């Protein structure tokens, strides 16, 4: 393990050695595909400060919808796989187009749950991502939906992002979606209160989370973000949950979102 994590507070994020940023499907597909440009600008801002950045991006299936003549998420696995295969190429192209403005190169890394359960595959993935970061390339990680099945898939990329953060020993994990922070109940419900900070080990008793994002194109909701944040925090990685529109402020160390304190690293 690397030394103690120096990212203890939000304000420490600009000084992070290595960060993982995860963005949800609804933030980079459909009408929100225009958010890719500002997202890339924020990532490159951290990159220019010397921080090593890994992006975990959902959105392949949703991006593939219009190219297959689909109006919504298909129910059958084969069509989901076809949409993922189509949309992944388009999604990475869109990222690279924005990165070209900054002279930064992207690399595509596709993983399945089985890859991170298999010791050989896990070591190979970690070695490849570490080398990409040494070469100042921006890895863009996604689940390999074309070969994943319902039984073995991660289920959402929040968990994938937490596992990647553990693999690369990131100092911070930033989980982005269409909601600015976590709330004590779904934010559209009366009495919902914003959660500013979660101490390590806090069980969040009495808090109720939805099971899917508001846009309905992804598979993760607030509950999956909490589970992922705990998974990363257990390994000593601090976690910030906030909205994609606030990513520049988040990476700049401003007081936004919900902050999960990490366990001390040994």
């Amino acid at each position: 393990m690397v030394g103690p994590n120096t990212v203890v507070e939000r304000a420490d994020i600009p000084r992070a050695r290595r960060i993982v940023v995860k963005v949800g499907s609804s933030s980079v597909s459909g009408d929100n595909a225009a958010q890719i440009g500002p997202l890339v600008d924020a990532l490159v801002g951290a990159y220019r400060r010397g921080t090593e950045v890994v992006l975990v991006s959902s959105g392949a299936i949703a991006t593939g919808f219009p190219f297959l003549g689909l109006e919504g998420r298909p129910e059958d696995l084969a069509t989901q796989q076809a949409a993922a295969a189509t949309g992944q190429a388009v999604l990475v192209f869109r990222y690279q187009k924005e990165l070209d403005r900054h002279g930064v190169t992207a690399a595509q890394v596709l993983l399945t749950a089985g890859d991170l359960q298999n010791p050989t595959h896990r070591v190979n993935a970690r070695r490849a991502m570490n080398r990409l970061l040494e070469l100042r390339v921006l890895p863009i990680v996604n689940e390999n939906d074309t070969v994943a099945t319902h039984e073995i898939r991660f289920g959402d990329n929040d968990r994938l992002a937490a596992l990647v953060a553990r693999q690369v020993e990131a100092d911070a994990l930033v989980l982005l979606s269409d909601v600015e922070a976590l709330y004590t109940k779904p934010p559209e419900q009366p009495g919902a209160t914003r959660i500013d900070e979660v101490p390590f080990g806090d069980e969040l008793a009495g808090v109720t989370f939805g099971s899917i994002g508001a846009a309905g194109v992804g598979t993760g909701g607030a509950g999956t973000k909490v589970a992922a944040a705990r998974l990363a925090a257990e390994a000593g990685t601090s976690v910030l949950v906030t909205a994609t529109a606030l990513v520049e402020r988040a990476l700049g160390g401003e007081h936004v979102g919900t902050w999960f304190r990490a366990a001390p690293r040994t």
Side-chain angles (χ1 to χ4, degrees), residues 40-81:
V40 165
D41 291 343
L43 297 178
V44 172
Y47 175 98
R48 297 292 186 216
R49 291 192 294 267
T51 299
E52 295 177 339
V53 181
V54 176
L55 175 64
V56 176
S57 177
S58 300
I61 295 177
T63 297
F65 291 169
F67 295 94
L68 300 180
L70 302 173
E71 295 183 358
R73 187 180 181 90
E75 293 295 327
D76 66 292
L77 182 59
T79 307
Q80 290 178 20
Q81 291 169 328

Side-chain angles (χ1 to χ4, degrees), residues 103-155:
V104 176
T105 300
Q108 177 178 267
V109 179
L110 298 178
L111 298 170
T112 66
D115 290 327
L116 294 185
Q117 293 167 1
N118 181 298
T120 301
H121 291 189
R122 186 169 61 243
V123 169
N124 286 339
R126 180 170 63 242
R127 182 170 55 220
M129 283 190 284
N130 282 335
R131 185 59 180 141
L132 287 168
L133 293 171
E134 289 173 358
L135 294 169
R136 301 295 286 159
V137 172
L138 176 67
I140 300 178
V141 183
N142 196 359
E143 182 165 16
N144 192 349
D145 290 303
T146 304
V147 300
T149 67
H150 289 303
E151 290 75 22
I152 66 170
R153 63 185 306 146
F154 291 105

Side-chain angles (χ1 to χ4, degrees), residues 4 12 18-19 30 38 48 53 57 60 92 98 123 152 156 165 184 210 213 229 232-233 243:
D12 298 327
R18 181 177 287 181
I19 61 173
R48 297 292 186 216
V53 181
S57 177
V92 172
E98 298 298 337
V123 169
I152 66 170
D156 62 84
T184 52

Side-chain angles (χ1 to χ4, degrees), residues 210-221:
S211 60
I212 191 167
V217 298
T219 57

Side-chain angles (χ1 to χ4, degrees), residues 13 19-23 172-176 239-240 242 247 250-251:
I13 290 178
I19 61 173
V20 173
V21 177
K22 181 266 176 178
V23 64
L173 168 63
V174 180
L175 298 174
L176 302 173
V239 184
L240 178 65
T242 193
V247 61
L251 297 184

